[in-house]
Amino acid sequence: DRLLTSNISFNTYYARLQNKSEEYNDFFDAVTIGETYLFREEKHFKIIDEVVLPELVSQKQTIALWSAACANGCEAYSLAVLCAHINENRKFTFSVLSSDINRAGLTVCERGELPLSALRDDGSSFQRLIEQNATIIKNKKVIDFKKEIKEYITVQNINLYQDEFEKVITQKDIIFLRNLFIYMSDKARVVILEKIIQTLSNGGFLFLSSSEVPFVAHAALQLREYNGTYFFKKKI
């Protein structure tokens, strides 16, 4: 598709990618998979609600979250509205970093208008929080989040494999890195996981999709289980 759009030969196109021209970013926008929806794998958000945030808030007043492969931001907004709901009594402050390699998805995330198709059966137990924190505009088929929810979220274009995290990312207490490793080689997984662990605060929590948990084993991570669902905690 990109070759047809650019109307150039393969060799010329490949040279542009090697030189990391503007086409380099357009290429990644075209090949990355943007399928996602609000409160996907809702059991993870129940763990955030019932286990992770109570444990963290007992130790600190500022919580930093990171949706590390956010696509169009559904995961980041799910985290933001959940934290805002849990924090109605203002016991802590929080922020959500939403990052992806795909710039088109990040533009949607920054705008805070997600497609109406982001509401699915999976995640339905939390949909009341969406209705409380957003306006559903049926004629435009979008979910427009309130300004105060959008302000919790910072958007950043990050290549998890190539970028050096310490230059752009502060320590995070909760990291979601879901539905990424299934597309990657063992080498890429090792490289990214090592950087993720360095960014995760001591005692912080890492969530992978259920199908990806078996890919991960690291001396710094403790595997935890809650109601049949597995996640990781960084050892102190």
Side-chain angles (χ1 to χ4, degrees):
D1 288 346
R2 292 304 304 160
L3 282 173
L4 291 172
T5 301
S6 304
N7 195 28
I8 57 177
S9 70
F10 174 81
N11 288 338
T12 301
Y13 185 80
Y14 185 57
R16 289 185 181 180
L17 293 184
Q18 288 181 308
N19 293 331
K20 294 192 176 180
S21 66
E22 180 62 21
E23 181 58 35
Y24 184 79
N25 292 317
D26 291 337
F27 174 79
F28 277 112
D29 286 352
V31 301
T32 48
I33 298 170
E35 166 62 18
T36 187
Y37 51 89
L38 291 160
F39 289 102
R40 184 178 184 175
E41 281 200 77
E42 63 182 272
K43 55 193 176 184
H44 287 161
F45 296 94
K46 290 179 180 178
I47 293 173
I48 296 289
D49 184 10
E50 297 171 11
V51 178
V52 169
L53 273 180
E55 189 169 324
L56 288 173
V57 172
S58 70
Q59 302 162 9
K60 55 178 67 179
Q61 282 70 54
T62 300
I63 310 297
L65 304 93
W66 180 20
S67 172
C70 72
N72 64 7
C74 283
E75 188 174 83
Y77 280 95
S78 299
L79 290 168
V81 297
L82 178 60
C83 287
H85 170 71
I86 295 171
N87 194 36
E88 286 178 340
N89 54 8
R90 300 294 189 269
K91 283 189 175 180
F92 63 96
T93 60
F94 71 92
S95 61
V96 181
L97 173 61
S98 185
S99 74
D100 203 275
I101 197 171
N102 187 309
R103 299 168 307 163
L106 291 176
T107 298
V108 175
C109 179
E110 195 163 30
R111 192 166 59 242
E113 286 188 2
L114 301 182
L116 195 56
S117 59
L119 295 174
R120 309 279 178 89
D121 288 339
D122 179 28
S124 60
S125 65
F126 289 102
Q127 283 182 12
R128 71 189 188 283
L129 301 183
I130 304 299
E131 296 166 358
Q132 293 167 6
N133 290 282
T135 301
I136 296 176
I137 308 174
K138 292 187 177 180
N139 64 326
K140 291 177 63 179
K141 296 182 179 180
V142 298
I143 305 163
D144 185 15
F145 283 86
K146 293 180 179 179
K147 179 182 177 183
E148 53 265 36
I149 297 298
K150 296 176 185 179
E151 289 175 346
Y152 288 121
I153 298 173
T154 301
V155 173
Q156 200 161 348
N157 183 217
I158 294 174
N159 183 321
L160 296 174
Y161 184 72
Q162 293 184 343
D163 292 346
E164 297 299 325
F165 293 176
E166 64 268 18
K167 295 180 180 178
V168 293
I169 305 172
T170 57
Q171 291 277 289
K172 302 301 178 187
D173 303 299
I174 300 172
I175 299 178
F176 271 49
L177 184 70
R178 305 188 305 168
N179 304 295
L180 181 71
F181 281 173
I182 55 175
Y183 301 109
M184 293 190 161
S185 66
D186 289 341
K187 176 186 174 182
R189 291 173 191 157
V190 169
V191 170
I192 293 174
L193 181 63
E194 197 64 45
K195 292 195 286 186
I196 288 287
I197 290 172
Q198 292 299 317
T199 308
L200 188 63
S201 63
N202 290 335
F205 295 87
L206 171 64
F207 287 84
L208 303 173
S209 69
S210 298
S211 61
E212 294 170 314
V213 170
F215 294 151
V216 172
H218 195 285
L221 296 176
Q222 172 193 7
L223 182 64
R224 292 185 58 173
E225 180 269 339
Y226 181 74
N227 286 342
T229 300
Y230 292 90
F231 57 106
F232 296 94
K233 180 177 181 179
K234 185 175 178 180
K235 297 175 183 176
I236 300 175

